[in-house]
Amino acid sequence: MKIAVFSTKPYDRKFLTDANSCLEKPHQLEFHDAQLNSNSSLLAQGCDAVCCFVNDNLDATVLQQLAALNVKLITLRCAGFNQVDLAEAKKLGIVVARVAEYSPHAIAEHTLGLILMLNRNLHRAHHRVRENDYSLNGLLGFDLFNKTVAVIGTGKIGQVFAHIMQGLGCEVIAFDPQPDPAVAAAGVSYVALNDIWPTADIISLHCPLNTNTHHLINSDAIAQMKTGVMLINTGRGGLIDTPAVIAGLKSKKIGYLGLDVYEEEANLFFEDNSNSLLQDDIFARLLTFPNVVITGHQAFFTREALTAISNITLINATHFEQGEMAKICQV
Ligand code: NAI
């Protein structure tokens, strides 16, 4: 089938082209740099499907435009689907497919990377050594061993992350509205959300963004946290009320902040903006803290993950084309 692929970078084109060439009946892929929104939706003209990523806009207006172009399938090349108005898609009869699982290890390992970087001040140490500065003042870290790590959302990624932290000798506690007995059997203690805040030395977010989890980390939650807590978000930007977190950093309640996602990232991430002025004052403030490390939504970005994402994205389209609806990973 003919698929308009939005928000593509060279690596997307390479991995999708490689995956497509392995299919018995390859699809016709039309790659676009443009993000999908109401101004770019016309690029899908003549296509049966669109392939989208995390910051493409699939609100009601865009979905109606796609339906008018006779697009019948949205094949997301990501796990999260908070960018899609699912009710509208259903109303319009557009099928939405996603990649439910590709490599939970990619995200969980990146989460560990942020923790180690913040704890041992690796970002600052790296710059110091390059400046011929070998002083250790300000680089003091703490042992992860025996610390309490809270995992919010023990799905595929949260489980791998919990296991990694257990391997470092941490005590892992968790909150999930649907506790997994296998996770509990592996030694993770499920507790109420209100018990996470005063107990955890490190809090890591691995739940989806939805109406229940929007601004889960807000001023109320922060007020209950341990002073000096480390907060890590590789889930979705909207899980955190960023101004509240900035206030927490300024008061030193939050001792460390690691982000791979940001609520307003759609206007920033995945692009080289180095020749432009940063217009987002909240993001700019975050960048001033020495105890904040931000990566630009790269936790998923491993060879293994991109290979799996590309394969599953295109196989979802193949199943749709063949009418094998039960085999599609539908949202
Ligand atoms: P999953 O669906 O396997 O697990 C999500 C878990 O969160 C489930 O166990 C669910 O019960 C739980 N949950 C739902 N509501 C909750 C709440 N109110 N509080 C606590 N837990 C709740 O999803 P997976 O694959 O583990 O991914 C988790 C999230 O990670 C995705 O929704 C996505 O937003 C994010 N993600 C980020 C990536 C990155 O590159 N930074 C890449 C892939 C996913």
PDB file of all heavy atoms in Angstrom, residues 79-80 82 98 100 102 107 152-158 175-178 206-210 212-213 216 234-236 260-261 297-300, ligand 1:
ATOM      1  N   ALA A  79       5.395   3.614  20.581  1.00  0.00           N
ATOM      2  CA  ALA A  79       4.523   2.875  21.503  1.00  0.00           C
ATOM      3  C   ALA A  79       3.396   3.763  22.017  1.00  0.00           C
ATOM      4  O   ALA A  79       2.231   3.362  22.035  1.00  0.00           O
ATOM      5  CB  ALA A  79       5.347   2.347  22.676  1.00  0.00           C
ATOM      6  N   GLY A  80       3.749   5.012  22.410  1.00  0.00           N
ATOM      7  CA  GLY A  80       2.751   5.935  22.961  1.00  0.00           C
ATOM      8  C   GLY A  80       1.781   6.380  21.872  1.00  0.00           C
ATOM      9  O   GLY A  80       2.134   6.427  20.686  1.00  0.00           O
ATOM     10  N   ASN A  82      -0.662   9.049  22.753  1.00  0.00           N
ATOM     11  CA  ASN A  82      -1.354  10.214  23.321  1.00  0.00           C
ATOM     12  C   ASN A  82      -1.532  11.346  22.305  1.00  0.00           C
ATOM     13  O   ASN A  82      -2.315  12.254  22.517  1.00  0.00           O
ATOM     14  CB  ASN A  82      -0.581  10.731  24.542  1.00  0.00           C
ATOM     15  CG  ASN A  82       0.884  10.948  24.247  1.00  0.00           C
ATOM     16  OD1 ASN A  82       1.638   9.976  24.139  1.00  0.00           O
ATOM     17  ND2 ASN A  82       1.291  12.179  24.079  1.00  0.00           N
ATOM     18  N   ARG A  98      -0.031   0.642  16.345  1.00  0.00           N
ATOM     19  CA  ARG A  98       1.188   1.140  16.998  1.00  0.00           C
ATOM     20  C   ARG A  98       2.170  -0.001  17.175  1.00  0.00           C
ATOM     21  O   ARG A  98       1.857  -1.171  16.886  1.00  0.00           O
ATOM     22  CB  ARG A  98       0.857   1.775  18.335  1.00  0.00           C
ATOM     23  CG  ARG A  98       0.400   0.762  19.373  1.00  0.00           C
ATOM     24  CD  ARG A  98       0.256   1.378  20.743  1.00  0.00           C
ATOM     25  NE  ARG A  98      -0.206   0.395  21.717  1.00  0.00           N
ATOM     26  CZ  ARG A  98       0.322   0.214  22.912  1.00  0.00           C
ATOM     27  NH1 ARG A  98       1.334   0.949  23.320  1.00  0.00           N
ATOM     28  NH2 ARG A  98      -0.158  -0.698  23.741  1.00  0.00           N
ATOM     29  N   ALA A 100       3.603  -1.778  20.000  1.00  0.00           N
ATOM     30  CA  ALA A 100       3.408  -1.874  21.451  1.00  0.00           C
ATOM     31  C   ALA A 100       4.726  -2.166  22.164  1.00  0.00           C
ATOM     32  O   ALA A 100       4.984  -1.671  23.243  1.00  0.00           O
ATOM     33  CB  ALA A 100       2.389  -2.953  21.772  1.00  0.00           C
ATOM     34  N   TYR A 102       9.007  -2.733  21.392  1.00  0.00           N
ATOM     35  CA  TYR A 102      10.134  -2.921  20.474  1.00  0.00           C
ATOM     36  C   TYR A 102      11.382  -3.264  21.266  1.00  0.00           C
ATOM     37  O   TYR A 102      11.862  -4.368  21.181  1.00  0.00           O
ATOM     38  CB  TYR A 102      10.332  -1.716  19.549  1.00  0.00           C
ATOM     39  CG  TYR A 102      10.196  -0.361  20.158  1.00  0.00           C
ATOM     40  CD1 TYR A 102      11.300   0.310  20.646  1.00  0.00           C
ATOM     41  CD2 TYR A 102       8.967   0.268  20.234  1.00  0.00           C
ATOM     42  CE1 TYR A 102      11.203   1.581  21.178  1.00  0.00           C
ATOM     43  CE2 TYR A 102       8.844   1.541  20.777  1.00  0.00           C
ATOM     44  CZ  TYR A 102       9.958   2.189  21.253  1.00  0.00           C
ATOM     45  OH  TYR A 102       9.849   3.437  21.790  1.00  0.00           O
ATOM     46  N   ILE A 107      14.943   1.902  26.469  1.00  0.00           N
ATOM     47  CA  ILE A 107      14.482   3.017  27.314  1.00  0.00           C
ATOM     48  C   ILE A 107      14.974   2.823  28.751  1.00  0.00           C
ATOM     49  O   ILE A 107      15.444   3.761  29.399  1.00  0.00           O
ATOM     50  CB  ILE A 107      12.944   3.163  27.255  1.00  0.00           C
ATOM     51  CG1 ILE A 107      12.494   3.501  25.829  1.00  0.00           C
ATOM     52  CG2 ILE A 107      12.461   4.268  28.189  1.00  0.00           C
ATOM     53  CD1 ILE A 107      12.126   2.370  24.977  1.00  0.00           C
ATOM     54  N   ILE A 152       7.116   4.210  38.616  1.00  0.00           N
ATOM     55  CA  ILE A 152       5.693   4.513  38.438  1.00  0.00           C
ATOM     56  C   ILE A 152       5.296   3.999  37.062  1.00  0.00           C
ATOM     57  O   ILE A 152       5.701   4.550  36.034  1.00  0.00           O
ATOM     58  CB  ILE A 152       5.427   6.016  38.622  1.00  0.00           C
ATOM     59  CG1 ILE A 152       5.834   6.412  40.049  1.00  0.00           C
ATOM     60  CG2 ILE A 152       3.964   6.333  38.340  1.00  0.00           C
ATOM     61  CD1 ILE A 152       5.479   7.789  40.477  1.00  0.00           C
ATOM     62  N   GLY A 153       4.556   2.897  37.071  1.00  0.00           N
ATOM     63  CA  GLY A 153       4.192   2.212  35.824  1.00  0.00           C
ATOM     64  C   GLY A 153       5.115   1.026  35.607  1.00  0.00           C
ATOM     65  O   GLY A 153       6.253   1.182  35.183  1.00  0.00           O
ATOM     66  N   THR A 154       4.610  -0.174  35.954  1.00  0.00           N
ATOM     67  CA  THR A 154       5.449  -1.376  35.819  1.00  0.00           C
ATOM     68  C   THR A 154       5.010  -2.202  34.611  1.00  0.00           C
ATOM     69  O   THR A 154       4.754  -3.389  34.709  1.00  0.00           O
ATOM     70  CB  THR A 154       5.408  -2.233  37.098  1.00  0.00           C
ATOM     71  OG1 THR A 154       4.036  -2.538  37.385  1.00  0.00           O
ATOM     72  CG2 THR A 154       6.058  -1.533  38.264  1.00  0.00           C
ATOM     73  N   GLY A 155       4.902  -1.527  33.473  1.00  0.00           N
ATOM     74  CA  GLY A 155       4.663  -2.240  32.218  1.00  0.00           C
ATOM     75  C   GLY A 155       5.982  -2.767  31.684  1.00  0.00           C
ATOM     76  O   GLY A 155       6.892  -3.085  32.460  1.00  0.00           O
ATOM     77  N   LYS A 156       6.088  -2.833  30.374  1.00  0.00           N
ATOM     78  CA  LYS A 156       7.275  -3.467  29.770  1.00  0.00           C
ATOM     79  C   LYS A 156       8.562  -2.742  30.148  1.00  0.00           C
ATOM     80  O   LYS A 156       9.541  -3.369  30.533  1.00  0.00           O
ATOM     81  CB  LYS A 156       7.088  -3.509  28.247  1.00  0.00           C
ATOM     82  CG  LYS A 156       5.990  -4.491  27.821  1.00  0.00           C
ATOM     83  CD  LYS A 156       5.689  -4.430  26.357  1.00  0.00           C
ATOM     84  CE  LYS A 156       4.889  -3.233  25.943  1.00  0.00           C
ATOM     85  NZ  LYS A 156       3.512  -3.175  26.462  1.00  0.00           N
ATOM     86  N   ILE A 157       8.547  -1.411  30.035  1.00  0.00           N
ATOM     87  CA  ILE A 157       9.774  -0.657  30.326  1.00  0.00           C
ATOM     88  C   ILE A 157      10.042  -0.620  31.829  1.00  0.00           C
ATOM     89  O   ILE A 157      11.175  -0.868  32.274  1.00  0.00           O
ATOM     90  CB  ILE A 157       9.674   0.771  29.744  1.00  0.00           C
ATOM     91  CG1 ILE A 157       9.559   0.716  28.210  1.00  0.00           C
ATOM     92  CG2 ILE A 157      10.878   1.612  30.155  1.00  0.00           C
ATOM     93  CD1 ILE A 157       9.159   2.023  27.548  1.00  0.00           C
ATOM     94  N   GLY A 158       8.998  -0.326  32.599  1.00  0.00           N
ATOM     95  CA  GLY A 158       9.158  -0.239  34.051  1.00  0.00           C
ATOM     96  C   GLY A 158       9.709  -1.531  34.650  1.00  0.00           C
ATOM     97  O   GLY A 158      10.536  -1.505  35.556  1.00  0.00           O
ATOM     98  N   PHE A 175       4.372   1.863  41.895  1.00  0.00           N
ATOM     99  CA  PHE A 175       2.927   2.093  41.854  1.00  0.00           C
ATOM    100  C   PHE A 175       2.432   1.807  40.446  1.00  0.00           C
ATOM    101  O   PHE A 175       3.036   2.246  39.458  1.00  0.00           O
ATOM    102  CB  PHE A 175       2.546   3.524  42.229  1.00  0.00           C
ATOM    103  CG  PHE A 175       1.092   3.786  41.953  1.00  0.00           C
ATOM    104  CD1 PHE A 175       0.118   3.255  42.786  1.00  0.00           C
ATOM    105  CD2 PHE A 175       0.692   4.501  40.821  1.00  0.00           C
ATOM    106  CE1 PHE A 175      -1.238   3.440  42.510  1.00  0.00           C
ATOM    107  CE2 PHE A 175      -0.665   4.695  40.548  1.00  0.00           C
ATOM    108  CZ  PHE A 175      -1.623   4.164  41.392  1.00  0.00           C
ATOM    109  N   ASP A 176       1.363   1.040  40.357  1.00  0.00           N
ATOM    110  CA  ASP A 176       0.708   0.785  39.080  1.00  0.00           C
ATOM    111  C   ASP A 176      -0.733   0.429  39.425  1.00  0.00           C
ATOM    112  O   ASP A 176      -0.959  -0.400  40.315  1.00  0.00           O
ATOM    113  CB  ASP A 176       1.399  -0.383  38.336  1.00  0.00           C
ATOM    114  CG  ASP A 176       0.973  -0.468  36.877  1.00  0.00           C
ATOM    115  OD1 ASP A 176      -0.250  -0.532  36.624  1.00  0.00           O
ATOM    116  OD2 ASP A 176       1.843  -0.488  35.997  1.00  0.00           O
ATOM    117  N   PRO A 177      -1.734   1.054  38.760  1.00  0.00           N
ATOM    118  CA  PRO A 177      -3.122   0.683  39.079  1.00  0.00           C
ATOM    119  C   PRO A 177      -3.417  -0.784  38.774  1.00  0.00           C
ATOM    120  O   PRO A 177      -4.396  -1.334  39.283  1.00  0.00           O
ATOM    121  CB  PRO A 177      -3.956   1.619  38.194  1.00  0.00           C
ATOM    122  CG  PRO A 177      -3.033   2.176  37.191  1.00  0.00           C
ATOM    123  CD  PRO A 177      -1.653   2.100  37.743  1.00  0.00           C
ATOM    124  N   GLN A 178      -2.564  -1.383  37.942  1.00  0.00           N
ATOM    125  CA  GLN A 178      -2.729  -2.819  37.663  1.00  0.00           C
ATOM    126  C   GLN A 178      -1.431  -3.542  38.032  1.00  0.00           C
ATOM    127  O   GLN A 178      -0.604  -3.833  37.153  1.00  0.00           O
ATOM    128  CB  GLN A 178      -3.039  -3.031  36.187  1.00  0.00           C
ATOM    129  CG  GLN A 178      -4.420  -2.506  35.819  1.00  0.00           C
ATOM    130  CD  GLN A 178      -4.718  -2.738  34.355  1.00  0.00           C
ATOM    131  OE1 GLN A 178      -4.080  -2.161  33.478  1.00  0.00           O
ATOM    132  NE2 GLN A 178      -5.679  -3.592  34.092  1.00  0.00           N
ATOM    133  N   HIS A 206       7.305   5.685  34.192  1.00  0.00           N
ATOM    134  CA  HIS A 206       7.180   4.757  33.055  1.00  0.00           C
ATOM    135  C   HIS A 206       5.721   4.431  32.758  1.00  0.00           C
ATOM    136  O   HIS A 206       5.410   3.330  32.299  1.00  0.00           O
ATOM    137  CB  HIS A 206       7.986   3.478  33.339  1.00  0.00           C
ATOM    138  CG  HIS A 206       9.427   3.758  33.569  1.00  0.00           C
ATOM    139  ND1 HIS A 206      10.285   4.088  32.541  1.00  0.00           N
ATOM    140  CD2 HIS A 206      10.157   3.827  34.700  1.00  0.00           C
ATOM    141  CE1 HIS A 206      11.488   4.329  33.041  1.00  0.00           C
ATOM    142  NE2 HIS A 206      11.436   4.183  34.347  1.00  0.00           N
ATOM    143  N   CYS A 207       4.847   5.391  33.028  1.00  0.00           N
ATOM    144  CA  CYS A 207       3.417   5.184  32.749  1.00  0.00           C
ATOM    145  C   CYS A 207       3.024   5.990  31.513  1.00  0.00           C
ATOM    146  O   CYS A 207       3.735   6.913  31.129  1.00  0.00           O
ATOM    147  CB  CYS A 207       2.583   5.593  33.959  1.00  0.00           C
ATOM    148  SG  CYS A 207       2.899   7.276  34.511  1.00  0.00           S
ATOM    149  N   PRO A 208       1.906   5.648  30.893  1.00  0.00           N
ATOM    150  CA  PRO A 208       1.479   6.425  29.721  1.00  0.00           C
ATOM    151  C   PRO A 208       0.948   7.793  30.136  1.00  0.00           C
ATOM    152  O   PRO A 208       0.557   7.977  31.298  1.00  0.00           O
ATOM    153  CB  PRO A 208       0.356   5.570  29.118  1.00  0.00           C
ATOM    154  CG  PRO A 208      -0.119   4.704  30.218  1.00  0.00           C
ATOM    155  CD  PRO A 208       0.989   4.541  31.205  1.00  0.00           C
ATOM    156  N   LEU A 209       0.920   8.716  29.203  1.00  0.00           N
ATOM    157  CA  LEU A 209       0.303  10.022  29.454  1.00  0.00           C
ATOM    158  C   LEU A 209      -1.171   9.924  29.095  1.00  0.00           C
ATOM    159  O   LEU A 209      -1.527   9.575  27.960  1.00  0.00           O
ATOM    160  CB  LEU A 209       0.980  11.097  28.588  1.00  0.00           C
ATOM    161  CG  LEU A 209       0.345  12.488  28.659  1.00  0.00           C
ATOM    162  CD1 LEU A 209       0.423  13.067  30.074  1.00  0.00           C
ATOM    163  CD2 LEU A 209       1.021  13.432  27.672  1.00  0.00           C
ATOM    164  N   ASN A 210      -2.015  10.167  30.076  1.00  0.00           N
ATOM    165  CA  ASN A 210      -3.457  10.218  29.821  1.00  0.00           C
ATOM    166  C   ASN A 210      -4.075  11.174  30.847  1.00  0.00           C
ATOM    167  O   ASN A 210      -3.331  11.828  31.593  1.00  0.00           O
ATOM    168  CB  ASN A 210      -4.086   8.812  29.870  1.00  0.00           C
ATOM    169  CG  ASN A 210      -3.795   8.099  31.179  1.00  0.00           C
ATOM    170  OD1 ASN A 210      -3.793   8.719  32.237  1.00  0.00           O
ATOM    171  ND2 ASN A 210      -3.542   6.797  31.114  1.00  0.00           N
ATOM    172  N   ASN A 212      -5.470  10.665  33.589  1.00  0.00           N
ATOM    173  CA  ASN A 212      -5.148  10.327  34.989  1.00  0.00           C
ATOM    174  C   ASN A 212      -3.710  10.680  35.357  1.00  0.00           C
ATOM    175  O   ASN A 212      -3.405  10.882  36.527  1.00  0.00           O
ATOM    176  CB  ASN A 212      -5.318   8.821  35.243  1.00  0.00           C
ATOM    177  CG  ASN A 212      -6.746   8.398  35.098  1.00  0.00           C
ATOM    178  OD1 ASN A 212      -7.639   9.161  35.432  1.00  0.00           O
ATOM    179  ND2 ASN A 212      -6.969   7.200  34.577  1.00  0.00           N
ATOM    180  N   THR A 213      -2.834  10.676  34.373  1.00  0.00           N
ATOM    181  CA  THR A 213      -1.409  10.846  34.697  1.00  0.00           C
ATOM    182  C   THR A 213      -0.874  12.226  34.330  1.00  0.00           C
ATOM    183  O   THR A 213       0.271  12.532  34.641  1.00  0.00           O
ATOM    184  CB  THR A 213      -0.558   9.775  33.978  1.00  0.00           C
ATOM    185  OG1 THR A 213      -0.755   9.915  32.557  1.00  0.00           O
ATOM    186  CG2 THR A 213      -0.914   8.370  34.415  1.00  0.00           C
ATOM    187  N   LEU A 216       1.137  14.363  36.898  1.00  0.00           N
ATOM    188  CA  LEU A 216       1.249  13.477  38.069  1.00  0.00           C
ATOM    189  C   LEU A 216       2.274  14.038  39.057  1.00  0.00           C
ATOM    190  O   LEU A 216       2.118  13.958  40.266  1.00  0.00           O
ATOM    191  CB  LEU A 216       1.709  12.103  37.555  1.00  0.00           C
ATOM    192  CG  LEU A 216       1.854  10.956  38.494  1.00  0.00           C
ATOM    193  CD1 LEU A 216       0.486  10.348  38.762  1.00  0.00           C
ATOM    194  CD2 LEU A 216       2.757   9.877  37.890  1.00  0.00           C
ATOM    195  N   THR A 234      11.406   9.529  31.541  1.00  0.00           N
ATOM    196  CA  THR A 234      11.608   9.086  30.149  1.00  0.00           C
ATOM    197  C   THR A 234      10.265   8.659  29.559  1.00  0.00           C
ATOM    198  O   THR A 234      10.226   8.003  28.525  1.00  0.00           O
ATOM    199  CB  THR A 234      12.610   7.909  30.061  1.00  0.00           C
ATOM    200  OG1 THR A 234      12.108   6.823  30.843  1.00  0.00           O
ATOM    201  CG2 THR A 234      13.995   8.294  30.541  1.00  0.00           C
ATOM    202  N   GLY A 235       9.157   9.015  30.270  1.00  0.00           N
ATOM    203  CA  GLY A 235       7.821   8.614  29.807  1.00  0.00           C
ATOM    204  C   GLY A 235       7.288   9.586  28.769  1.00  0.00           C
ATOM    205  O   GLY A 235       7.536   9.428  27.567  1.00  0.00           O
ATOM    206  N   ARG A 236       6.590  10.603  29.243  1.00  0.00           N
ATOM    207  CA  ARG A 236       6.076  11.662  28.372  1.00  0.00           C
ATOM    208  C   ARG A 236       6.154  12.975  29.139  1.00  0.00           C
ATOM    209  O   ARG A 236       5.935  13.005  30.363  1.00  0.00           O
ATOM    210  CB  ARG A 236       4.619  11.396  27.963  1.00  0.00           C
ATOM    211  CG  ARG A 236       4.443  10.344  26.883  1.00  0.00           C
ATOM    212  CD  ARG A 236       4.932  10.821  25.500  1.00  0.00           C
ATOM    213  NE  ARG A 236       4.786   9.803  24.468  1.00  0.00           N
ATOM    214  CZ  ARG A 236       5.696   8.907  24.110  1.00  0.00           C
ATOM    215  NH1 ARG A 236       6.874   8.894  24.718  1.00  0.00           N
ATOM    216  NH2 ARG A 236       5.462   8.051  23.150  1.00  0.00           N
ATOM    217  N   ASP A 260      14.097  12.931  29.427  1.00  0.00           N
ATOM    218  CA  ASP A 260      14.252  12.598  28.004  1.00  0.00           C
ATOM    219  C   ASP A 260      13.072  13.145  27.205  1.00  0.00           C
ATOM    220  O   ASP A 260      13.057  13.068  25.988  1.00  0.00           O
ATOM    221  CB  ASP A 260      14.347  11.074  27.821  1.00  0.00           C
ATOM    222  CG  ASP A 260      14.650  10.698  26.376  1.00  0.00           C
ATOM    223  OD1 ASP A 260      15.629  11.241  25.819  1.00  0.00           O
ATOM    224  OD2 ASP A 260      13.899   9.889  25.792  1.00  0.00           O
ATOM    225  N   VAL A 261      12.084  13.665  27.933  1.00  0.00           N
ATOM    226  CA  VAL A 261      10.855  14.156  27.296  1.00  0.00           C
ATOM    227  C   VAL A 261      10.485  15.480  27.959  1.00  0.00           C
ATOM    228  O   VAL A 261      10.877  15.738  29.104  1.00  0.00           O
ATOM    229  CB  VAL A 261       9.713  13.126  27.465  1.00  0.00           C
ATOM    230  CG1 VAL A 261       9.898  11.924  26.570  1.00  0.00           C
ATOM    231  CG2 VAL A 261       9.576  12.677  28.921  1.00  0.00           C
ATOM    232  N   HIS A 297      14.536  13.208  23.687  1.00  0.00           N
ATOM    233  CA  HIS A 297      13.697  12.050  23.334  1.00  0.00           C
ATOM    234  C   HIS A 297      14.495  11.014  22.539  1.00  0.00           C
ATOM    235  O   HIS A 297      14.128  10.655  21.415  1.00  0.00           O
ATOM    236  CB  HIS A 297      12.449  12.500  22.555  1.00  0.00           C
ATOM    237  CG  HIS A 297      11.293  11.563  22.739  1.00  0.00           C
ATOM    238  ND1 HIS A 297      10.002  11.999  22.916  1.00  0.00           N
ATOM    239  CD2 HIS A 297      11.239  10.204  22.790  1.00  0.00           C
ATOM    240  CE1 HIS A 297       9.197  10.954  23.049  1.00  0.00           C
ATOM    241  NE2 HIS A 297       9.933   9.857  22.978  1.00  0.00           N
ATOM    242  N   GLN A 298      15.576  10.584  23.132  1.00  0.00           N
ATOM    243  CA  GLN A 298      16.447   9.621  22.450  1.00  0.00           C
ATOM    244  C   GLN A 298      16.513   8.267  23.145  1.00  0.00           C
ATOM    245  O   GLN A 298      17.267   7.380  22.725  1.00  0.00           O
ATOM    246  CB  GLN A 298      17.873  10.186  22.302  1.00  0.00           C
ATOM    247  CG  GLN A 298      18.669  10.222  23.603  1.00  0.00           C
ATOM    248  CD  GLN A 298      20.133  10.552  23.388  1.00  0.00           C
ATOM    249  OE1 GLN A 298      20.493  11.710  23.250  1.00  0.00           O
ATOM    250  NE2 GLN A 298      20.999   9.552  23.381  1.00  0.00           N
ATOM    251  N   ALA A 299      15.692   8.090  24.197  1.00  0.00           N
ATOM    252  CA  ALA A 299      15.792   6.837  24.958  1.00  0.00           C
ATOM    253  C   ALA A 299      15.541   5.618  24.066  1.00  0.00           C
ATOM    254  O   ALA A 299      16.132   4.557  24.259  1.00  0.00           O
ATOM    255  CB  ALA A 299      14.823   6.851  26.134  1.00  0.00           C
ATOM    256  N   PHE A 300      14.680   5.783  23.071  1.00  0.00           N
ATOM    257  CA  PHE A 300      14.333   4.641  22.195  1.00  0.00           C
ATOM    258  C   PHE A 300      15.417   4.375  21.152  1.00  0.00           C
ATOM    259  O   PHE A 300      15.350   3.358  20.450  1.00  0.00           O
ATOM    260  CB  PHE A 300      13.017   4.954  21.444  1.00  0.00           C
ATOM    261  CG  PHE A 300      13.212   5.969  20.338  1.00  0.00           C
ATOM    262  CD1 PHE A 300      13.338   5.554  19.012  1.00  0.00           C
ATOM    263  CD2 PHE A 300      13.333   7.313  20.630  1.00  0.00           C
ATOM    264  CE1 PHE A 300      13.554   6.479  17.995  1.00  0.00           C
ATOM    265  CE2 PHE A 300      13.553   8.242  19.622  1.00  0.00           C
ATOM    266  CZ  PHE A 300      13.661   7.832  18.305  1.00  0.00           C
TER     267      PHE A 300
HETATM  268  P1  NAI B   1       3.174  -0.413  28.962  1.00  0.00           P
HETATM  269  O1  NAI B   1       1.813  -0.194  28.414  1.00  0.00           O
HETATM  270  O2  NAI B   1       3.808  -1.759  28.835  1.00  0.00           O
HETATM  271  O3  NAI B   1       3.197  -0.038  30.514  1.00  0.00           O
HETATM  272  C1  NAI B   1       2.589   1.092  31.063  1.00  0.00           C
HETATM  273  C2  NAI B   1       2.229   0.767  32.510  1.00  0.00           C
HETATM  274  O4  NAI B   1       1.754   1.964  33.117  1.00  0.00           O
HETATM  275  C3  NAI B   1       1.117  -0.294  32.638  1.00  0.00           C
HETATM  276  O5  NAI B   1       1.515  -1.308  33.535  1.00  0.00           O
HETATM  277  C4  NAI B   1      -0.056   0.505  33.180  1.00  0.00           C
HETATM  278  O6  NAI B   1      -0.898  -0.271  34.041  1.00  0.00           O
HETATM  279  C5  NAI B   1       0.675   1.588  33.946  1.00  0.00           C
HETATM  280  N1  NAI B   1      -0.156   2.743  34.261  1.00  0.00           N
HETATM  281  C6  NAI B   1      -1.294   3.164  33.634  1.00  0.00           C
HETATM  282  N2  NAI B   1      -1.793   4.218  34.296  1.00  0.00           N
HETATM  283  C7  NAI B   1      -0.987   4.449  35.352  1.00  0.00           C
HETATM  284  C8  NAI B   1      -0.997   5.392  36.416  1.00  0.00           C
HETATM  285  N3  NAI B   1      -1.983   6.296  36.533  1.00  0.00           N
HETATM  286  N4  NAI B   1       0.003   5.360  37.321  1.00  0.00           N
HETATM  287  C9  NAI B   1       0.990   4.430  37.232  1.00  0.00           C
HETATM  288  N5  NAI B   1       1.036   3.493  36.251  1.00  0.00           N
HETATM  289  C10 NAI B   1       0.062   3.514  35.329  1.00  0.00           C
HETATM  290  O7  NAI B   1       4.084   0.727  28.311  1.00  0.00           O
HETATM  291  P2  NAI B   1       5.671   0.731  28.139  1.00  0.00           P
HETATM  292  O8  NAI B   1       6.032   0.104  26.846  1.00  0.00           O
HETATM  293  O9  NAI B   1       6.314   0.253  29.384  1.00  0.00           O
HETATM  294  O10 NAI B   1       5.918   2.303  27.968  1.00  0.00           O
HETATM  295  C11 NAI B   1       5.640   3.212  29.024  1.00  0.00           C
HETATM  296  C12 NAI B   1       5.679   4.634  28.490  1.00  0.00           C
HETATM  297  O11 NAI B   1       7.008   4.966  28.123  1.00  0.00           O
HETATM  298  C13 NAI B   1       4.868   4.827  27.164  1.00  0.00           C
HETATM  299  O12 NAI B   1       3.512   5.117  27.442  1.00  0.00           O
HETATM  300  C14 NAI B   1       5.555   5.997  26.539  1.00  0.00           C
HETATM  301  O13 NAI B   1       4.901   7.186  26.938  1.00  0.00           O
HETATM  302  C15 NAI B   1       6.970   5.979  27.137  1.00  0.00           C
HETATM  303  N6  NAI B   1       8.001   5.692  26.130  1.00  0.00           N
HETATM  304  C16 NAI B   1       9.049   6.569  25.997  1.00  0.00           C
HETATM  305  C17 NAI B   1      10.037   6.345  25.056  1.00  0.00           C
HETATM  306  C18 NAI B   1      11.218   7.262  24.900  1.00  0.00           C
HETATM  307  O14 NAI B   1      11.962   7.146  23.918  1.00  0.00           O
HETATM  308  N7  NAI B   1      11.459   8.178  25.812  1.00  0.00           N
HETATM  309  C19 NAI B   1       9.963   5.191  24.158  1.00  0.00           C
HETATM  310  C20 NAI B   1       8.865   4.294  24.423  1.00  0.00           C
HETATM  311  C21 NAI B   1       7.909   4.561  25.368  1.00  0.00           C
END
